[in-house]
Amino acid sequence: MADTSHKRHIAKTITWRIVGTIDTIILSWIISGDPYIGLKIGMAEVVTKMLFYYLHERAWFKINLSKDGKILESRKRHIAKTFTWRIIGTMDTMLIAWIVSGNPLTGLKIGFAEVITKMILYYFHERIWYKLNFGLTKRNNN
């Protein structure tokens, strides 16, 4: 049986990147006061975030948090994934915002602002994908 999870993880990567980039552009624009800085930051992180997100998704796929032989696909798992992804994503955004704006304080402000918005958006993104069967050969119903 072929592993179709790669297709699912790529699709999740793309949909999350669209949501995340829009959020980053808006926050960066508001914080910097410059729509072009917002666009530059948002566009610069598209590639890095897609790579990091795909690797994060693959790592979580391989993590065996199980109970009685069943992988736990629960709200707790989604919350844990939300926090681990947010740490990676925020560090990436802070660094890119600092480089693009030339101001480390701008990078910190954008990074801290997105912690809240991105965690909320990511949690709902995970819940939506949990309900979809796209790219799954079978689903463990816990």
Side-chain angles (χ1 to χ4, degrees):
M1 182 180 334
D3 181 5
T4 60
S5 65
H6 289 284
K7 179 171 62 171
R8 179 178 177 85
H9 296 153
I10 290 169
K12 282 181 73 174
T13 299
I14 292 168
T15 59
W16 173 246
R17 187 54 0 234
I18 291 167
V19 171
T21 297
I22 291 168
D23 184 58
T24 297
I25 290 169
I26 292 168
L27 287 174
S28 299
W29 176 4
I30 291 168
I31 290 169
S32 72
D34 185 342
Y36 296 111
I37 286 180
L39 281 171
K40 286 179 187 175
I41 293 168
M43 294 300 108
E45 72 173 24
V46 167
V47 174
T48 59
K49 288 286 195 321
M50 286 182 75
L51 175 63
F52 290 147
Y53 184 86
Y54 178 80
L55 294 173
H56 179 260
E57 196 63 28
R58 294 302 299 166
W60 271 95
F61 180 72
K62 293 180 183 286
I63 292 173
N64 186 14
L65 298 177
S66 64
K67 182 177 180 182
D68 300 328
K70 293 182 180 176
I71 294 176
L72 295 179
E73 290 292 341
S74 68
R75 293 184 196 280
K76 289 179 185 177
R77 181 180 173 92
H78 296 148
I79 289 170
K81 281 180 73 175
T82 298
F83 278 95
T84 58
W85 171 245
R86 188 58 352 235
I87 291 165
I88 295 165
T90 297
M91 290 178 4
D92 183 54
T93 298
M94 283 186 200
L95 182 61
I96 290 172
W98 176 3
I99 292 168
V100 170
S101 71
N103 184 340
L105 187 57
T106 298
L108 286 172
K109 286 179 184 178
I110 293 168
F112 285 125
E114 81 165 17
V115 166
I116 295 165
T117 59
K118 292 281 194 324
M119 286 181 73
I120 292 167
L121 292 169
Y122 183 84
Y123 177 80
F124 285 111
H125 182 262
E126 278 296 304
R127 295 303 298 161
I128 290 166
W129 271 96
Y130 177 67
K131 294 177 185 304
L132 298 175
N133 289 323
F134 178 81
L136 296 176
T137 53
K138 68 177 187 170
R139 179 181 289 275
N140 289 337
N141 291 323
N142 299 332

